[in-house]
Amino acid sequence: MNAAAKKQNSDKAASPMMGGLGLEDMGDLSALLAGPEAVVQGGGPLALDMALIDEDPHQPRTQDNPGFSAQSLDELAASIQLRGVKTPISVRENPAAEGRYLINHGARRFRGAQRAGLSTIPGFIDNDYNEADQVVENLQRNELTAREIADFIGRELAKGVKKGDIAKAISKSPAFISQHVTLLDLPEPLAEAFNTGRVRDVTVVNELMTAYKKTPQDVAAWLGDANQEVTRGSVKLLREFLDAKSAPAPVAGAAPAAAANGRAEAPVAGQAGKPAAAADKLKKAVVHVRHNDRTARLMLERRPPAEGVAWLQYIDDGQELQASLKHVTLVALLEG
């Protein structure tokens, strides 16, 4: 029995009122005053010695979020000084240092308690805890960046764990895993935009990656413009523009392939008497124009405010504006 527990038992024996109050069965409260080696019979938290606790160096959250800012921690410390730590932290035994503990979750509370000058903190010892559990914990709180998630997936893949098993372990879809795997091997222009925080949306990164595989120079030049906003909308317009740019131009006077081979198309069953769909008709027209030396899409679905004026949407950044048709040059007519 440690000194704190002996003191509590001594206090209990010295107080004649304890028996009358029915507190003689509350010996398990000594665990709250004892060290982390104590066993709490009632299942309550231990009073863990702060000096024996370390933050996990392999915690998947490697970048402090706003909740870990100096201001936020100072506010938490003030609350702890006033009210104490209300939610216990979770720790596990440190396999590399006997008698010490690693934090499973509760690092922010731990730092706040340090600032508040506490010597102990309420907590539970849970040795059945792994990195996947930490990922799930932080995912549910939206405290992991896309890079941190990707790095965790990369480490699991390096161990030979399959993507499907990783998805199951962190309760995410296989598509979620595949999207983050893309982040592990980005080409330089995309890696720079992602690593500097210019683009954080994993979907946007994957869309850019698809475009980069087709026309790397164009995408690199687009990202090279420091004023270019990178959003889902602007990347969608970029891809539309690049697809239109790479589409082969129709040859004037070219005949349909079947006619050129001297063969007539056989009628489709059930379509007798109905004319075949004209190959030269567009299902949906997309008009690209040039305005102020920038490529834009003519917004045919939006009613113009007056005759001779039209709504345009720039391809590079998605900006919408009204423009006089006198200052617009037709660039391409595409099928949407």
Side-chain angles (χ1 to χ4, degrees), residues 79-227:
S79 174
I80 289 174
Q81 287 176 333
L82 182 65
R83 302 278 294 160
V85 177
K86 294 301 182 182
T87 304
I89 67 171
S90 171
V91 301
R92 66 186 183 279
E93 294 174 349
N94 189 341
E98 186 177 355
R100 300 192 65 80
Y101 298 85
L102 292 174
I103 296 177
N104 294 326
H105 60 82
R108 182 171 180 270
R109 278 162 281 160
F110 176 73
R111 294 190 192 181
Q114 283 181 320
R115 291 188 178 223
L118 299 190
S119 59
T120 63
I121 186 171
F124 295 99
I125 299 175
D126 181 4
N127 289 321
D128 185 23
Y129 206 91
N130 57 33
E131 190 175 2
D133 294 322
Q134 290 180 323
V135 170
V136 172
E137 176 82 18
N138 286 291
L139 277 175
Q140 296 305 317
R141 297 182 181 184
N142 295 318
E143 290 185 350
L144 288 181
T145 66
R147 166 57 65 189
E148 290 163 347
I149 297 171
D151 288 342
F152 162 74
I153 293 172
R155 290 193 296 271
E156 293 299 288
L157 291 173
K159 297 175 187 174
V161 182
K162 296 180 179 179
K163 292 181 183 179
D165 293 332
I166 298 174
K168 188 178 299 183
I170 62 175
S171 301
K172 290 293 182 179
S173 68
F176 177 90
I177 303 301
S178 296
Q179 280 194 326
H180 284 80
V181 167
T182 301
L183 305 179
L184 297 173
D185 189 25
L186 292 174
E188 182 58 32
L190 275 69
E192 181 179 358
F194 180 68
N195 293 333
T196 57
R198 185 180 176 192
V199 53
R200 301 178 184 275
D201 190 328
V202 179
T203 299
V204 169
V205 176
N206 278 265
E207 290 289 317
L208 281 172
M209 189 65 180
T210 299
Y212 187 88
K213 289 178 180 178
K214 296 180 180 178
T215 54
Q217 293 182 341
D218 288 332
V219 174
W222 188 78
L223 288 172
D225 181 359
N227 296 321

Side-chain angles (χ1 to χ4, degrees), residues 298-316:
L298 191 61
M299 301 177 70
L300 300 175
E301 71 280 3
R302 192 160 183 178
R303 188 184 301 278
E307 185 176 348
V309 178
W311 280 96
L312 307 180
Q313 184 179 47
Y314 285 130
I315 296 295
D316 53 7

